Amino acid sequence: MRYLLAIFAGTFLSLNITYAQKPVQPSTSEIYHSLEKLNFLGTALYIAAHPDDENTRLISYLSNHTKARTGYLSLTRGDGGQNLIGPELRELLGVLRTQELLAARRVDGGEQFFSRANDFGYSKHPDETLEIWDKEAVLGDVVWTIRNFRPDVIINRFDHRSPGTTHGHHTSSAMLSFEAFDLANDKSAYSEQLKLTQTWQPKRLFFNTSWWFYGSQEKFDKADKSKMVNLDIGTYYPVLGKSNNEIAALASSQHLCQGFGRLSQRGSENEYVELLKGTMPNNSNDIFEGIDTSWSRITGGKAVGEILYAVEKNFDFTNPSKHLPQLLEAYELLQKVEDNYWRELKSQELKIIILNISGLYLEASAETSFTNPGGKIKINVEAVNRSSSDITLNTISISSTNKTIQPSIALKNNEKQNFEIDIDVPSATNYTSPYWLNEKGSLGMYKVDDQSLIGKPETPRAFLVKFELEFNEKSITIEKPVIHHYAKPDKGEIFQPFEILPEATASFSDKVLIFADGEPKKVPVTIKAHADNIKGELLLNHSKVWGIDAESKSFEIAKKGDQQTLVFTLTPPATEDESYISPIIKLNGKEVTKELAIIAYDHIPTQSVLLPSEAKVVRLNIKKSGEHIGYIVGAGDEVPESLRQIGYIVHTIDPNTIAKGTLDKYDAVVVGIRAYNVLDQLKFKQRYLFDYVENGGNLVVQYNTAGRWGDQFENLAPYPITLSRDRVTDENSAVEILAKKHALINYPNKINKDDFNGWVQERGLYFPSKWSKEFTPILSMSDKGESAKKGSLLIAPYGKGNYIYTGLSFFRELPAGVPGAYKLFANMLSVEKNIQPTKLN
């Protein structure tokens, strides 16, 4: 994958700044493709709700066939999803999915934007969505993106006319886009934005329809298509050696945490867009028909176009640097164009092409991957001209500092020039972290006060290096972010973002601490040094009803990267209580309350995320029986650690080791979330799981997604059970206990309605919709206006033991420290044997 990304990264000119990606080294065919895109002055914006909602086939088609500047506005960053490849959930998952979207755009050639809407989880209706999101704020973000990106054409992924038929976020994205189409050109709408931008009126608004929205291919074939444009997005690009669908599949496959890896495709394929607003194109397969997309579109552009069209027509694939004089002439003319939008956009594209055809390599690499405010860092600069072009490097300056050097040196063909620059990092430099997480938001919204940041995919980097160059006596300035470039024997060459971090951060090993009785617990707090020779004290902020052995403790760490763990003793109150503890590092007159989370995967740049450091502490009167729990880990599953919190000894089970009798030593066995979806070998081990239950064991199976493994394998349970897409998304929905006398509700903890208070994000998902008479449904719940769902928790006796299936979202509730969820899970693990089905009361 990394090799393919390197190829395609050189192909497409995205104006999203990408930090610490391997430098683009495009072939002449790829440079020519960029030149074609330079000569198309049209813009398209695709709008949907989440990462992975985007149609990569259509984005790639518009970017690489039509040659339009193409963007994707994802209203959320996908915080509410699950994670198939690692432990990141909520805010950290949003950071991961943001980077996967950027990786996809680097492949398909698009640009990426976001609103401040937070993905709070599944929503069944846009009314609920827009109430939680703050409709006016998110609508303003859509208007802001349209005004800045200035699309001629907008395409909605979803239908604004069908509320309640799909995810509420989906429909909401289309409704907001439909409204913003006209508001973007209204000076009275969000007028405060006009201090930084200007109004804009898109020409056309489309809905990206398909047979899926009609229910069947047959119904779609019969549908009126007079307002539809049909695009064959299966086109082949000889210059790139790839078909559009092959590129699109690779782009989609960047969404690995959502399981979107897929095979590439080839061949003709139709894509339809339905006109919602604006004039219908006369040409049925060109959504830009009738819109001037030539250089003549802008005043002063015709002269620029005459030069660039001639270069495109006569492009020399064996010696592209011969076109440098014409490109420089076009660049100078372009600087006289009055239209700021097109002048800045096309100047940036043209500078990259000039850089590439001259074979000029420029890099600024810090000696380490991070430093601190007020610290010092050495920057190694490399410049090499790999052509016969006449290029002089005049000055090198670093933003946010007063550091400038003036080499005034001619860059001779293939002679590398290196420079070392020592910089003092200003003490006021902000830490590097996702800007939307710097302040605490709400359930539905990120808090971002700086209007200029809204919509950006990433936080702008603290330091950019400006290279002032002369090409044939014509001046051009090129900017590059400071990165960290190094190699590892087992990884090879690595390009990593350069970060600004606090001198130290502190973290808890456990984000939730459950006190099942009144006994005190040792609470370790780990301080990690991000500078040499740090010395200070650590305080533990806590509620007054909790006791602590010391208000503060001293620490001293000699080397950057080392860490020290301080242990506090925390004593819970006598009665049940929920509270938070947080560390405060006092160091050099500063206070730091952050922890550092690192997100590192091969398909994205390494991410450093600073979050408020805290742990939830819960005094809980909980009872349990049994001690040893076998656990088959599913996808993104943190439940095992939660069970250890209440005193269980949890043993991770490798499915490959399961055989007859190997499970009998456990007091209960738990199958993690989506385990049947991600562990193919489980289907061959199911009989041993049933043997375990038949011999007297308790087997707890957590939710799996319907339509994947459930449809392929009938023996999910020892009796017939049918998974569905039923879910209850309102975490505050009323819960009725159906089987009030069942042991699952009464032993060893008495469960009542109060135990369903304080749940987060949802009640549960993918509940069974049908089950055999052997099962007893325990609970009933529903979202507003819907029928009762009784499949959230089912239990059936089998032999001497019990089989339990639950779609309740314990994987969210236990890590969040929800007391009632712990009590109910303990009951599932402790349920008495030989219980017969119970009649509902």
Side-chain angles (χ1 to χ4, degrees):
M1 176 183 296
R2 212 173 251 179
Y3 171 73
L4 288 173
L5 277 175
I7 293 175
F8 286 118
T11 303
F12 309 122
L13 277 175
S14 167
L15 294 185
N16 285 113
I17 297 176
T18 52
Y19 305 118
Q21 285 295 303
K22 187 173 182 178
V24 171
Q25 304 292 311
S27 67
T28 53
S29 294
E30 292 163 344
I31 295 172
Y32 176 76
H33 186 65
S34 300
L35 183 61
E36 291 179 303
K37 295 180 72 172
L38 176 69
N39 283 334
F40 188 93
L41 280 70
T43 307
L45 180 64
Y46 199 86
I47 297 180
H50 308 109
D52 71 42
D53 280 347
E54 83 274 29
N55 185 338
T56 56
R57 298 182 302 275
L58 191 50
I59 290 174
S60 178
Y61 178 87
L62 293 172
S63 177
N64 301 300
H65 175 80
T66 306
K67 309 297 191 304
R69 183 189 185 195
T70 306
Y72 173 43
L73 171 58
S74 174
L75 294 193
T76 77
R77 295 177 186 265
D79 297 43
Q82 284 88 51
N83 186 355
L84 284 179
I85 64 174
E88 294 85 8
L89 290 174
R90 293 306 308 158
E91 294 90 350
L92 294 180
L93 179 61
V95 175
L96 170 57
R97 297 187 73 183
T98 293
Q99 290 300 317
E100 289 187 334
L101 268 178
L102 288 170
R105 298 294 78 78
R106 287 191 289 273
V107 174
D108 60 32
E111 299 175 49
Q112 187 60 52
F113 307 98
F114 294 93
S115 82
R116 288 170 292 173
N118 193 354
D119 179 3
F120 55 85
Y122 193 86
S123 175
K124 292 181 178 177
H125 200 279
D127 288 350
E128 176 197 36
T129 298
L130 295 175
E131 181 177 340
I132 295 175
W133 271 358
D134 183 351
K135 176 188 173 184
E136 289 306 309
V138 182
L139 178 59
D141 292 354
V142 180
V143 169
W144 171 254
T145 302
I146 293 172
R147 286 173 172 174
N148 285 304
F149 193 60
R150 294 173 61 171
D152 299 302
V153 173
I154 296 176
I155 303 174
N156 292 344
R157 181 69 182 98
F158 300 103
D159 188 358
H160 70 286
R161 300 161 294 191
S162 55
T165 60
T166 183
H167 198 318
H169 297 182
H170 293 168
T171 310
S172 295
S173 70
M175 294 169 65
L176 293 173
S177 173
F178 190 83
E179 192 171 349
F181 182 87
D182 296 313
L183 288 178
N185 199 38
D186 183 350
K187 290 183 179 180
S188 65
Y190 302 99
S191 56
E192 70 281 358
Q193 295 180 2
L194 300 180
K195 298 174 184 177
L196 300 172
T197 189
Q198 61 187 46
T199 58
W200 178 254
Q201 182 58 64
K203 307 298 190 299
R204 294 175 181 131
L205 175 66
F206 293 97
F207 159 47
N208 185 192
T209 190
S210 71
W211 68 264
W212 190 87
F213 291 96
Y214 284 77
S216 69
Q217 184 65 51
E218 183 180 3
K219 290 181 180 179
F220 183 65
D221 291 341
K222 296 177 180 178
D224 178 12
K225 296 184 178 60
S226 61
K227 289 289 186 180
M228 294 186 192
V229 177
N230 179 14
L231 307 172
D232 182 356
I233 49 85
T235 185
Y236 177 72
Y237 305 123
V239 168
L240 304 179
K242 292 286 180 182
S243 71
N244 187 73
N245 281 345
E246 287 174 300
I247 296 170
L250 185 59
S252 179
S253 292
Q254 302 314 302
H255 297 294
L256 295 181
C257 74
Q258 302 303 297
F260 269 66
R262 62 189 178 96
L263 290 171
S264 60
Q265 298 175 342
R266 286 152 290 278
S268 178
E269 184 178 352
N270 291 323
E271 194 74 52
Y272 292 87
V273 292
E274 175 191 356
L275 184 72
L276 301 177
K277 288 186 177 183
T279 57
M280 185 67 186
N282 293 325
N283 184 342
S284 62
N285 60 5
D286 181 6
I287 62 175
F288 283 92
E289 190 274 330
I291 300 172
D292 187 358
T293 57
S294 72
W295 279 101
S296 297
R297 175 175 189 159
I298 55 176
T299 302
K302 184 178 180 181
V304 178
E306 286 177 352
I307 297 171
L308 294 177
Y309 291 137
V311 173
E312 179 183 339
K313 182 178 180 180
N314 302 297
F315 189 75
D316 189 333
F317 286 85
T318 61
N319 182 26
S321 63
K322 68 179 285 186
H323 301 295
L324 186 58
Q326 298 100 302
L327 295 179
L328 291 169
E329 182 184 358
Y331 181 82
E332 283 200 324
L333 286 174
L334 184 55
Q335 304 319 298
K336 300 174 184 178
V337 169
E338 294 183 2
D339 189 314
N340 291 339
Y341 171 82
W342 287 112
R343 183 182 67 248
E344 293 178 8
L345 174 69
K346 292 301 178 180
S347 291
Q348 179 66 13
E349 290 185 32
L350 185 49
K351 282 198 290 187
I352 295 173
I353 292 174
I354 290 171
L355 196 72
N356 288 336
I357 69 163
S358 61
L360 183 60
Y361 183 89
L362 302 171
E363 177 182 290
S365 175
E367 61 183 344
T368 62
S369 62
F370 65 87
T371 191
N372 321 113
K376 299 179 182 292
I377 193 72
K378 184 186 299 293
I379 307 295
N380 297 302
V381 176
E382 178 184 341
V384 57
N385 171 18
R386 292 170 293 183
S387 73
S388 58
S389 302
D390 181 10
I391 304 175
T392 300
L393 175 58
N394 287 326
T395 65
I396 303 171
S397 60
I398 301 178
S399 66
S400 303
T401 74
N402 59 3
K403 183 66 69 172
T404 298
I405 64 171
Q406 297 177 318
S408 299
I409 186 171
L411 299 178
K412 297 180 180 179
N413 190 356
N414 217 27
E415 290 186 10
K416 184 171 67 171
Q417 300 292 333
N418 290 102
F419 309 91
E420 288 187 356
I421 305 176
D422 293 313
I423 65 170
D424 296 318
V425 177
S427 59
T429 305
N430 291 328
Y431 301 138
T432 303
S433 197
Y435 69 86
W436 61 94
L437 299 179
N438 284 340
E439 296 188 60
K440 188 175 180 60
S442 64
L443 173 64
M445 298 293 294
Y446 301 118
K447 189 176 189 301
V448 182
D449 294 326
D450 186 344
Q451 182 68 46
S452 66
L453 288 175
I454 293 173
K456 293 184 183 297
E458 296 180 279
T459 303
R461 291 285 140 169
F463 300 107
L464 297 174
V465 178
K466 295 183 179 181
F467 298 86
E468 292 185 14
L469 302 139
E470 278 189 22
F471 292 81
N472 297 347
E473 300 183 348
K474 292 182 172 62
S475 296
I476 289 182
T477 299
I478 302 292
E479 286 190 348
K480 294 279 187 177
V482 176
I483 61 169
H484 178 49
H485 178 195
Y486 66 108
K488 293 180 69 175
D490 60 336
K491 293 285 187 179
E493 193 173 37
I494 297 173
F495 295 83
Q496 188 170 331
F498 175 64
E499 317 280 26
I500 307 298
L501 301 177
E503 291 174 290
T505 52
S507 62
F508 297 102
S509 57
D510 298 311
K511 299 304 180 185
V512 175
L513 295 165
I514 305 296
F515 291 73
D517 51 37
E519 292 298 313
K521 279 190 176 184
K522 302 291 186 183
V523 179
V525 184
T526 299
I527 302 170
K528 185 163 187 177
H530 308 298
D532 291 332
N533 300 316
I534 64 171
K535 183 178 182 180
E537 63 176 332
L538 178 70
L539 288 72
L540 196 61
N541 191 27
H542 61 94
S543 169
K544 292 181 180 180
V545 300
W546 291 73
I548 193 168
D549 64 330
E551 291 300 321
S552 68
K553 298 192 177 188
S554 300
F555 68 88
E556 186 172 353
I557 305 175
K559 292 293 185 181
K560 176 171 63 177
D562 287 348
Q563 56 190 38
Q564 182 178 344
T565 299
L566 304 178
V567 179
F568 292 83
T569 300
L570 194 64
T571 302
T575 58
E576 291 195 347
D577 183 77
E578 297 179 55
S579 185
Y580 287 88
I581 56 175
S582 57
I584 301 173
I585 298 174
K586 289 194 171 184
L587 184 65
N588 298 330
K590 300 177 184 177
E591 289 189 354
V592 179
T593 59
K594 302 287 189 180
E595 68 170 307
L596 175 64
I598 301 294
I599 303 176
Y601 294 97
D602 286 346
H603 65 303
I604 64 168
T606 299
Q607 299 296 297
S608 299
V609 186
L610 292 170
L611 295 173
S613 184
E614 64 180 16
K616 186 175 183 180
V617 289
V618 180
R619 170 66 170 94
L620 179 63
N621 290 320
I622 189 170
K623 300 174 183 177
K624 62 184 182 64
S625 67
E627 184 176 17
H628 293 274
I629 306 299
Y631 203 100
I632 301 171
V633 178
D637 199 341
E638 297 182 12
V639 171
E641 183 53 42
S642 298
L643 298 181
R644 293 185 182 102
Q645 285 281 341
I646 56 174
Y648 284 109
I649 300 172
V650 182
H651 307 266
T652 301
I653 299 173
D654 179 352
N656 293 307
T657 66
I658 297 174
K660 187 173 182 61
T662 59
L663 304 176
D664 292 344
K665 57 190 174 184
Y666 301 119
D667 297 307
V669 172
V670 181
V671 180
I673 60 170
R674 300 175 73 175
Y676 290 104
N677 298 138
V678 299
L679 301 173
D680 289 339
Q681 60 268 50
L682 267 185
K683 67 181 68 175
F684 306 110
K685 304 294 183 176
Q686 194 72 348
R687 55 178 174 158
Y688 302 123
L689 293 174
F690 292 162
D691 287 345
Y692 166 74
V693 179
E694 191 171 21
N695 291 332
N698 279 340
L699 177 64
V700 179
V701 178
Q702 297 178 82
Y703 96 94
N704 285 266
T705 54
R708 296 190 185 185
W709 206 66
D711 288 348
Q712 302 171 25
F713 184 65
E714 297 178 355
N715 298 323
L716 186 65
Y719 308 111
I721 187 173
T722 302
L723 301 187
S724 73
R725 294 184 176 272
D726 287 350
R727 63 200 303 162
V728 176
T729 61
D730 182 359
E731 64 269 34
N732 299 310
S733 63
V735 176
E736 179 185 358
I737 298 175
L738 297 174
K740 294 183 175 65
K741 295 182 180 180
H742 198 284
L744 192 52
I745 292 298
N746 294 282
Y747 177 82
N749 303 287
K750 179 73 174 179
I751 303 297
N752 57 48
K753 290 185 178 181
D754 291 341
D755 290 307
F756 295 94
N757 294 337
W759 285 49
V760 298
Q761 188 160 327
E762 62 197 352
R763 290 294 188 200
L765 61 171
Y766 292 102
F767 298 162
S769 57
K770 297 179 182 179
W771 50 86
S772 69
K773 60 182 176 54
E774 287 82 4
F775 284 100
T776 297
I778 302 298
L779 306 171
S780 176
M781 58 192 70
S782 66
D783 282 319
K784 183 178 178 181
E786 294 189 352
S787 61
K789 305 295 186 291
K790 299 180 180 180
S792 64
L793 179 57
L794 303 173
I795 183 170
Y798 182 68
K800 299 177 182 178
N802 297 287
Y803 175 94
I804 299 171
Y805 187 91
T806 180
L808 294 171
S809 60
F810 288 107
F811 73 102
R812 296 195 192 280
E813 313 313 322
L814 298 186
V818 178
Y822 274 92
K823 291 179 180 179
L824 184 53
F825 210 101
N827 280 16
M828 292 192 300
L829 299 177
S830 308
V831 68
E832 297 172 340
K833 310 300 189 294
N834 299 311
I835 296 176
Q836 297 306 307
T838 301
K839 293 183 179 179
L840 302 185
N841 294 331

